[in-house]
């Protein structure tokens, strides 16, 4: 059974930083796709960043335009953990952040669409004050 547990959410001021972590259990494949999504009140869930691990030394990341240059996704393959480093936070970044995972065979199948991800964590809240 796949379990994803997020941590690291909290409050920050605009311009500040937070780091989210997502630990995966029951999910170990030669190739995988993990990502971060967010949902603000009254808005649809949207993709923030995803990362594809092919089993080799290189991971491939895709980041939404709205956070490009500010957020960085990374993965510790040995720990089966994915991170989201969030810098230069803006008020509009405030949302519930969810970790998600999928089993794919190609980096081109690892995208920001939520329908590609069958496994989800419970979410961690991020609040940004001005």
């Amino acid at each position: 059974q796949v379990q994803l547990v997020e941590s690291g959410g909290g409050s920050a001021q605009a311009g500040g930083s937070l780091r989210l972590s997502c630990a995966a259990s029951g999910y170990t494949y030669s190739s995988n796709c993990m990502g971060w999504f967010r949902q603000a009140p009254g808005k649809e869930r949207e993709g923030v960043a995803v990362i594809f691990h092919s089993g080799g030394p290189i991971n491939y990341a895709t980041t939404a335009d709205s956070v490009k240059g500010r957020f960085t996704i990374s993965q510790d393959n040995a720990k089966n953990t994915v991170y989201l480093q969030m810098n230069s936070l803006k008020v509009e970044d405030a949302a519930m952040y969810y970790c998600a995972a999928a089993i794919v065979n190609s980096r081109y199948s690892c995208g920001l669409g939520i329908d590609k991800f069958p496994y989800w964590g419970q979410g961690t809240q991020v609040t940004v004050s001005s």
Side-chain angles (χ1 to χ4, degrees):
Q1 183 179 358
V2 177
Q3 286 191 325
L4 303 173
V5 180
E6 302 101 332
S7 61
S11 299
Q13 288 192 324
S17 299
L18 287 172
R19 188 192 194 206
L20 306 183
S21 299
C22 173
S25 60
Y27 177 74
T28 304
Y29 297 93
S30 58
S31 62
N32 63 61
C33 173
M34 297 185 71
W36 288 97
F37 297 76
R38 67 186 182 185
Q39 187 168 18
K43 295 189 176 181
E44 294 186 352
R45 191 171 298 188
E46 62 176 359
V48 176
V50 296
I51 188 164
F52 174 73
H53 173 58
S54 65
I58 300 175
N59 294 328
Y60 299 91
T62 301
T63 307
D65 289 343
S66 59
V67 303
K68 197 164 291 185
R70 301 188 297 119
F71 290 11
T72 302
I73 188 171
S74 61
Q75 183 172 351
D76 186 327
N77 300 322
K79 295 182 179 180
N80 231 15
T81 299
V82 64
Y83 305 95
L84 185 68
Q85 178 65 44
M86 304 185 295
N87 298 329
S88 302
L89 282 163
K90 301 178 180 180
V91 172
E92 52 263 41
D93 293 322
M96 183 71 80
Y97 281 71
Y98 297 92
C99 176
I103 305 167
V104 300
N105 295 319
S106 166
R107 58 180 286 201
Y108 302 106
S109 297
C110 183
L112 295 170
I114 64 173
D115 57 330
K116 299 179 184 295
F117 292 84
Y119 307 112
W120 292 83
Q122 294 298 309
T124 185
Q125 184 69 45
V126 170
T127 304
V128 183
S129 57
S130 58

